[in-house]
């Protein structure tokens, strides 16, 4: 192994624990060579990937990549959280014993990287210097170059993040082996894929994919599953699938920070990036902090909740991204940004990409265009003619620095103080545009009972109504009762409580199905109302489900909404809610050890509806 030592020496990788770990998995996976990655290797790795045909040019320093057609989204079924404690079994975490999963993954991975390079990707999932940085250190070993290119965009990458650790053995060990994607039986009873976080060993073993959260281990495997477990085990913090944004009222100089959870592909990226309805004039500035993950802790100095975005980039849904819906995202993926597009439609002749909703109609001249499966659009069979050109879960990958309204203090070590925590999802009826919840237990209860239509970000579930507690269902790494108790404890310890709220941009007309609320940039309006409620400038209308705005309180300037739509948007349908309370009771009953405060909140809301 002397040659590997030489490679690690040359890369300046000094941490002996990391070196031992690399040696171990190099031998185990049978890789042919090792390469240590630094963010500054990006240009060379891009050239190599272009030469190897793994990516294609997509115009002005942007790139196109296509994943295997059977590998286009997370597989929730094949994802497991393992520990050595059967008490960690939860309803959503697919818990298995570590003693069963480690050997299984070791067997799948043995020799499975033969002939390939093992890239060593040391990373940090936090702003440098953050009090939570010790939990954010990891090393991903991967046998796929496009995964490295994505990691460089999504995390801070370099040996400096693992050398000189206070405890050199305290880093997350992530091993990603792609496997032979043609032969993994994806979706069959003999599915070989397996994505395991061994949470109490801080080890992540993912086999059988090279796509998104299945393969970029810093992102959701570490940033959410491992981190939420660490936050609970240490008692110190929360790690949630949350966006994070700042709103500055330029008239008063007051700055607010809002974070919140919405299930995958339900609008976090769009919300965090794009708020700024021009109709409201130049009064507000909205800063982008993060679109998918936030870690929350109480700062001992002032006792407030602070949030950081542990990520370095955005892995955003491409569908419907355009100048009208999200001009900020359009700029963030513009020429010169180094963006990588995955599974959109591609034209090699013109180096262009396209996805549904990029423009109202697909390019009129189909010459050279291939759909996400690589089929020439002009040659698709008649029954394929209506297939989307881009996969619904096709994505763009760009760094935070490319987002034009990135907050000037986005990488401040301490994070930013949180004024509001919101939950939302795709709900076609029942949920009003916004309802505020000023009580901690009722806020946590609301998050736990977040019910929404599932999306294409995971395989095989689109459109199904299901509960997605705090949008963490696919990322829950410990039991829900303990999760609720941990939330009450962390947020309860803050000296200044954030206000909670539930939002819904996805109400539909019961007759023709159109979205009642225009959404996107106009979502700033309900958030401004929430901030005014927090400051005591409006009082709203009390309902058993929380406080909703009156029509007068909501700033609707420059909007034209049919009055009937507005009533529906701000209405609380008591009959539907009473029915929902029954479903919630059943849902919550599944969770052992749910704190009494949560049941009490449930009973209060139910009694209020009964009294209506
Ligand atoms: P993940 O990255 O999977 O966690 O998703 P996300 O929550 O960041 O979702 P994203 O913002 O990427 O939105 C997903 C889809 O919802 C995109 O196709 C958006 O165009 C659409 N969308 C986002 N916001 C709105 C909105 O306010 N109204 C409507 N109708 N659609 C929206
Ligand atoms: C999600 O699915 O919620 C994502 C994309 O943010 S992935 O990284 O694939 O999980
Ligand atoms: Mn997400």
């Amino acid at each position: 192994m002397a040659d590997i030592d030489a490679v690690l020496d040359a890369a300046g990788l000094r941490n002996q624990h990391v070196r031992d770990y690399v040696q171990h998995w190099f031998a185990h996976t049978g890789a042919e060579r090792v390469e240590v990655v630094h963010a500054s290797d990006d240009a060379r790795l891009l050239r190599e990937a272009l030469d190897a045909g793994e990516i294609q040019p997509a115009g002005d320093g942007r790139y196109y990549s296509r994943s295997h057609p059977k590998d286009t989204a997370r597989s929730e079924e094949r994802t497991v959280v393992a520990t050595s404690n059967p008490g960690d079994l939860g309803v959503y975490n697919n818990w298995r014993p570590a003693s069963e999963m480690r050997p299984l993954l070791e067997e799948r991975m043995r020799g499975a990287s033969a002939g390939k390079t093992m890239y060593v990707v040391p990373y940090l999932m936090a702003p440098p210097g953050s009090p939570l940085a010790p939990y954010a250190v990891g090393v991903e070993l991967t046998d796929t170059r496009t995964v490295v290119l994505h990691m460089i965009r999504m995390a801070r990458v370099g040996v400096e993040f693992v050398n000189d650790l206070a405890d050199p053995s305290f880093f997350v060990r992530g091993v990603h082996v792609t496997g032979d994607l043609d032969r993994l039986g994806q979706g069959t009873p003999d599915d070989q894929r397996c994505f395991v976080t061994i949470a109490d060993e801080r080890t992540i073993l993912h086999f059988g994919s090279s796509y998104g959260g299945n393969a970029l281990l810093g992102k959701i495997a570490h940033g959410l599953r491992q981190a939420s477990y660490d936050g609970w085990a240490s008692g110190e913090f929360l790690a949630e699938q949350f966006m994070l944004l700042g709103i500055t009222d330029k008239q008063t100089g007051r700055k607010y920070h809002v974070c919140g959870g919405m299930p995958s592909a339900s609008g976090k990226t769009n919300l965090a990036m794009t708020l700024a309805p021009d109709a409201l004039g130049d009064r507000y500035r909205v800063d982008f902090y993060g679109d998918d993950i936030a870690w929350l802790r109480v700062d001992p100095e002032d006792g407030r909740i602070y949030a950081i975005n542990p990520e370095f980039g955005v892995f955003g849904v491409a569908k419907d991204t355009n100048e009208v819906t999200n001009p900020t995202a359009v700029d963030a993926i513009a020429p010169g940004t180094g963006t990588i597009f995955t599974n959109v439609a591609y034209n090699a002749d013109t180096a262009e990409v396209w996805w549904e909703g990029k423009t109202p109609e697909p390019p009129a001249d189909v010459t050279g265009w291939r759909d996400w499966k690589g089929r020439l659009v002009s040659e698709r069979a008649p029954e394929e003619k209506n297939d989307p050109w881009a996969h619904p879960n096709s994505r763009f990958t760009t760094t935070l620095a490319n987002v034009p309204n990135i907050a000037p203090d986005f990488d401040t070590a301490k994070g930013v103080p949180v004024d509001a925590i919101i939950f939302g999802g795709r709900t076609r009826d029942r949920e009003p545009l916004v309802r505020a919840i000023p009580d901690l237990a009722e806020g946590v209860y609301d998050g736990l009972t977040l019910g929404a239509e599932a999306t294409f970000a995971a395989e095989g579930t689109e459109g199904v109504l299901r509960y997605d507690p705090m949008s963490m269902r696919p990322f829950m790494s410990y039991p829900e009762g303990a999760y609720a108790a941990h939330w009450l404890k962390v947020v309860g310890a803050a000296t200044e409580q954030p206000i909670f709220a539930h939002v819904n941009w996805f109400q539909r007309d019961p007759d023709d199905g159109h979205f009642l609320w225009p959404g996107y940039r106009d979502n700033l309006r309900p958030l401004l109302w929430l901030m005014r409620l927090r400051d005591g400038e409006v009082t709203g209308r009390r309902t058993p489900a929380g406080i909703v705005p009156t029509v007068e309180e909501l700033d609707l300037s420059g909007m034209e909404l049919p009055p009937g739509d507005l009533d529906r948007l701000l209405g609380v349908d008591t009959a539907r809610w009473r029915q929902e309370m029954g479903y919630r009771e059943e849902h919550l009953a599944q969770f052992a050890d749910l704190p009494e405060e949560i049941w009490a909140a449930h009973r209060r809301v139910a009694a209020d509806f009964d009294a209506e």
Side-chain angles (χ1 to χ4, degrees):
M1 296 285 166
D3 50 338
I4 293 194
D5 266 330
V7 172
L8 303 182
D9 283 344
L13 204 168
R14 294 193 308 272
N15 182 325
Q16 192 57 46
H17 294 266
V18 175
R19 294 174 69 114
D20 292 347
Y21 158 71
V22 172
Q23 295 272 11
H24 172 82
W25 285 99
F26 176 73
H28 187 87
T29 59
E32 197 168 295
R33 62 197 89 76
V34 165
E35 193 181 308
V36 181
V37 178
H38 193 273
S40 57
D41 295 323
D42 192 52
R44 174 181 53 82
L45 290 165
L46 284 166
R47 272 196 311 276
E48 290 174 9
L50 284 166
D51 289 345
E54 295 157 359
I55 58 174
Q56 276 81 43
D60 308 299
R62 293 172 296 172
Y63 306 91
Y64 170 65
S65 90
R66 187 181 289 141
S67 72
H68 191 282
K70 290 181 183 164
D71 184 30
T72 56
R74 284 183 292 100
S75 166
E76 293 183 7
E77 263 179 34
R78 307 299 309 160
T79 302
V80 166
V81 174
T83 66
S84 301
N85 174 18
D88 292 336
L89 172 67
V91 170
Y92 294 130
N93 62 0
N94 286 337
W95 181 86
R96 303 298 308 154
S99 58
E100 173 191 326
M101 297 318 286
R102 188 182 271 278
L104 189 141
L105 268 291
E106 281 172 352
E107 195 223 297
R108 302 256 153 103
M109 290 180 172
R110 184 169 294 119
S113 301
K116 294 187 171 184
T117 300
M118 174 189 272
Y119 296 94
V120 178
V121 187
Y123 64 81
L124 181 71
M125 292 298 291
S130 161
L132 296 177
Y135 297 105
V137 178
V139 179
E140 171 164 358
L141 309 178
T142 174
D143 61 7
T144 295
R145 187 157 32 205
T146 49
V147 171
V148 178
L149 292 170
H150 282 82
M151 279 298 288
I152 288 175
R153 283 158 182 70
M154 297 304 298
R156 293 164 174 87
V157 169
V159 291
E160 63 270 33
F161 300 118
V162 296
N163 285 335
D164 312 316
L165 297 177
D167 174 354
S169 69
F170 198 73
F171 61 94
V172 170
R173 290 154 170 81
V175 186
H176 165 246
V177 172
T178 296
D180 182 352
L181 297 173
D182 280 330
R183 297 157 189 277
L184 295 177
Q186 292 94 332
T188 71
D190 190 33
D191 200 326
Q192 298 294 298
R193 298 174 299 167
C194 202
F195 310 111
V196 182
T197 298
I198 307 177
D200 55 353
E201 296 176 24
R202 307 192 80 230
T203 296
I204 298 165
L205 304 174
H206 278 206
F207 174 81
S209 166
S210 66
Y211 192 76
N214 292 340
L216 317 175
L217 303 187
K219 189 172 170 51
I220 59 169
H222 181 165
L224 286 175
R225 290 193 196 97
Q226 182 64 54
S228 68
Y229 186 90
D230 288 345
W232 171 57
S234 67
E236 274 188 51
F237 65 105
L238 299 165
E240 307 295 326
Q241 190 190 203
F242 278 8
M243 60 86 213
L244 176 62
L245 59 85
I247 303 174
T248 305
D249 182 337
K250 293 192 228 166
Q251 254 169 39
T252 63
R254 176 94 160 86
K255 183 161 187 188
Y256 306 89
H257 297 97
V258 180
C259 67
M262 298 161 182
S264 301
S266 297
K268 292 181 300 300
T269 303
N270 278 273
L271 182 62
M273 271 194 185
T274 197
L275 295 181
D278 310 324
L280 297 182
D282 193 29
R283 175 159 174 189
Y284 302 99
R285 196 186 79 226
V286 179
D287 289 326
F288 174 84
Y289 286 89
D291 75 319
D292 202 42
I293 304 179
W295 293 2
L296 278 62
R297 72 186 171 93
V298 174
D299 189 78
E301 245 171 67
D302 63 4
R304 296 192 66 184
I305 300 273
Y306 278 75
I308 56 163
N309 170 16
E311 303 198 87
F312 190 65
V314 177
F315 183 59
V317 174
K319 186 175 174 355
D320 287 329
T321 302
N322 62 53
E323 277 296 343
V324 176
T325 58
N326 195 345
T328 316
V330 171
D331 284 351
I333 60 181
T337 53
T339 302
I340 303 175
F341 299 94
T342 307
N343 292 343
V344 297
Y346 178 64
N347 190 329
D349 303 345
T350 58
E352 284 177 290
V353 290
W354 190 82
W355 51 84
E356 273 63 28
K358 183 171 191 263
T359 50
E361 297 296 330
D365 179 2
V366 301
T367 314
W369 280 100
R370 289 177 188 272
D371 69 8
W372 68 272
K373 289 182 176 165
R375 300 176 299 197
L376 272 173
V377 169
S378 58
E379 290 176 8
R380 297 202 300 188
E383 69 274 14
E384 298 166 344
K385 285 269 185 270
N386 292 328
D387 289 357
W389 287 27
H391 189 281
N393 193 37
S394 59
R395 301 233 171 197
F396 55 80
T397 311
T398 188
T399 55
L400 296 179
N402 286 325
V403 179
N405 64 333
I406 184 71
D409 57 346
F410 83 97
D411 61 355
T412 179
K414 183 172 175 171
V416 292
V418 171
D419 296 282
I421 299 178
I422 65 176
F423 300 111
R426 290 175 182 261
T427 317
R428 56 180 56 236
D429 61 4
R430 185 174 57 76
E431 281 294 359
L433 180 64
V434 56
R435 51 186 177 86
I437 306 162
D439 175 78
L440 169 63
E442 283 181 28
V444 174
Y445 162 73
D446 187 74
L448 294 174
T449 50
L450 171 56
E453 296 160 32
T455 64
F456 38 73
E459 293 170 347
T461 51
E462 194 181 347
V464 179
L465 265 175
R466 60 180 196 176
Y467 286 103
D468 189 339
M470 301 210 188
S471 72
M472 283 291 281
R473 178 184 175 124
F475 315 117
M476 281 257 176
S477 54
Y478 60 101
E480 291 76 1
Y483 178 83
H486 186 49
W487 256 89
L488 293 172
K489 184 184 119 182
V490 172
V491 182
T495 49
E496 193 179 320
Q497 290 292 299
I499 192 168
F500 285 84
H502 196 109
V503 298
N504 181 22
W505 322 140
F506 298 94
Q507 273 190 87
R508 289 177 187 261
D509 183 281
D511 299 324
D512 66 12
H514 81 269
F515 287 115
L516 295 178
W517 177 249
Y520 297 103
R521 315 190 79 197
D522 287 308
N523 295 336
L524 178 57
R525 300 169 192 267
L527 294 190
L528 289 174
W529 172 82
L530 183 65
M531 295 305 104
R532 294 181 63 207
L533 183 78
R534 178 170 171 74
D535 287 349
E537 291 167 21
V538 294
T539 51
R541 178 171 72 86
R542 279 192 178 276
T543 81
I547 304 169
V548 297
T550 64
V551 174
E552 298 73 39
E553 287 171 353
L554 202 58
D555 187 340
L556 298 171
S557 45
M559 279 186 113
E560 276 172 50
L561 280 180
D565 282 10
L566 203 54
D567 289 346
R568 205 179 269 281
L569 280 164
L570 299 179
V572 171
D573 179 340
T574 305
R576 278 287 284 110
W577 269 92
R578 285 206 186 111
Q579 181 192 35
E580 168 66 15
M581 294 311 288
Y583 298 151
R584 287 183 175 188
E585 185 127 355
E586 263 172 54
H587 170 69
L588 293 177
Q590 301 172 86
F591 308 126
D593 304 326
L594 201 65
E596 176 50 30
E597 292 99 307
I598 301 298
W599 279 118
H602 172 73
R603 284 193 299 268
R604 270 199 307 279
V605 177
D608 283 356
F609 272 116
D610 284 343
E612 275 277 285

